[in-house]
Structures are given as structure tokens and as C-alpha cells.
Amino acid sequence: MLNVEEIKDGLVIDHIHAGFGWKVFQWLGLDKGKYGCALIVNVASNKTGSKDIIKIDNIINIDFSVLGFMDPNITVNVIQDSKIVRKIKMALPEKIEGVIRCKNPRCITLTETYEAQEFRLVDRERAQYRCVFCDALYTAGDTVPGTR
């Protein structure tokens, strides 16, 4: 049996798509953190069959819009005094700015770096975003934000 200590003050990132937890773990920089954290993969889930969970023994700042972009099914539980004091459900944000790079090699944002790359949600069902500068389509969750 797997035994992970309870968290007194920290965060639990739950309902991560199975197999995607490591990408979230790295994006949050938890592999470089100076506090305890656990990545638990392929945990049984009644909703989805399996999921990943991240437990962080610290309260850290997270850009929830980016987390929602990575996986809109994620839930973040804020733990204080060993109790859940707040549950935050992620959703696809309407706009993503300065997080991902456009994949169109002719997009102006690749040569003119003074302009932040911006994407707008165009199809919530398909989780698709469109670059506001060149109209290239991007599907949320394809890669970790910030990667090229």
C-alpha cells in the first residue's frame, strides 16, 4: 500500500489527466523546490478511471489560468491545519498571453519579441485557441506551456 503523509499547510492538485502529472510537476518547478511534494500517478478514479495527484507541503503561487489551460479538469485544494479550506476548479481561460509560442513560423511574434504572444479561446468543446496575430490554431493540452 502507498502511504503519503497528510499535508498540514499546502496544496493538493487533484484530477490531473493520468500520465500528465509529471508535466504539471515540472511546469510548477516542484522538482527544484525546497519543500516536500509528492507526485502520485495512475491513481484509481471513479470519474475517469485513473488520474494523477500532486501534493505540495507548502502554499505556492500558481497561475490558475495556465493550469486550466494545461488540463481544465484539475482541482486545486488549499489545505490549512490539515483541512481543505478552499477548492478551486480549473476551466479553460478565455485568453492566454505570454505562455505558449505560436507554431506558425511566419507569425510576427516570433521575430518581433516586444509583443507578447496572445491566444484567444475559439472553441471550448475542442479546447482550441487562435493566435490573435496570425490565426494559427492551437489545442490546449498539446504540450506544456512555454515549450517551443
Side-chain angles (χ1 to χ4, degrees):
M1 176 168 177
L2 179 66
N3 186 17
V4 177
E5 297 266 332
E6 84 174 355
I7 293 176
K8 292 184 172 82
D9 294 302
L11 303 171
V12 175
I13 303 172
D14 200 359
H15 305 290
I16 304 169
H17 183 77
F20 200 67
W22 178 242
K23 289 182 180 184
V24 175
F25 195 88
Q26 287 180 305
W27 176 75
L28 291 172
L30 298 175
D31 51 333
K32 297 170 184 77
K34 301 208 185 305
Y35 38 82
C37 50
L39 168 61
I40 308 160
V41 297
N42 295 322
V43 176
S45 168
N46 292 335
K47 275 185 182 177
T48 59
S50 64
K51 65 181 178 179
D52 292 355
I53 302 170
I54 298 174
K55 290 185 160 193
I56 307 166
D57 196 20
N58 192 14
I59 306 261
I60 61 172
N61 288 327
I62 297 175
D63 185 341
F64 294 119
S65 66
V66 176
L67 205 53
F69 174 75
M70 291 175 76
D71 185 348
N73 299 312
I74 289 176
T75 303
V76 177
N77 298 315
V78 180
I79 312 293
Q80 290 179 338
D81 297 323
S82 300
K83 292 181 176 64
I84 297 174
V85 295
R86 186 171 171 213
K87 247 183 208 259
I88 306 164
K89 292 190 181 260
M90 298 300 108
L92 288 172
E94 292 296 321
K95 160 177 118 166
I96 294 288
E97 188 174 322
V99 175
I100 55 175
R101 292 187 58 153
C102 187
K103 59 188 174 186
N104 178 358
R106 290 192 242 167
C107 184
I108 186 107
T109 60
L110 296 178
T111 56
E112 303 297 331
T113 55
Y114 62 87
E115 193 67 54
Q117 296 192 344
E118 185 178 330
F119 293 81
R120 299 268 179 195
L121 182 64
V122 293
D123 188 335
R124 190 168 294 282
E125 287 290 313
R126 293 184 182 148
Q128 288 184 326
Y129 287 80
R130 188 171 300 281
C131 176
V132 299
F133 297 99
C134 73
D135 290 334
L137 272 178
Y138 187 91
T139 302
D142 278 352
T143 62
V144 176
T147 60
R148 276 73 178 152

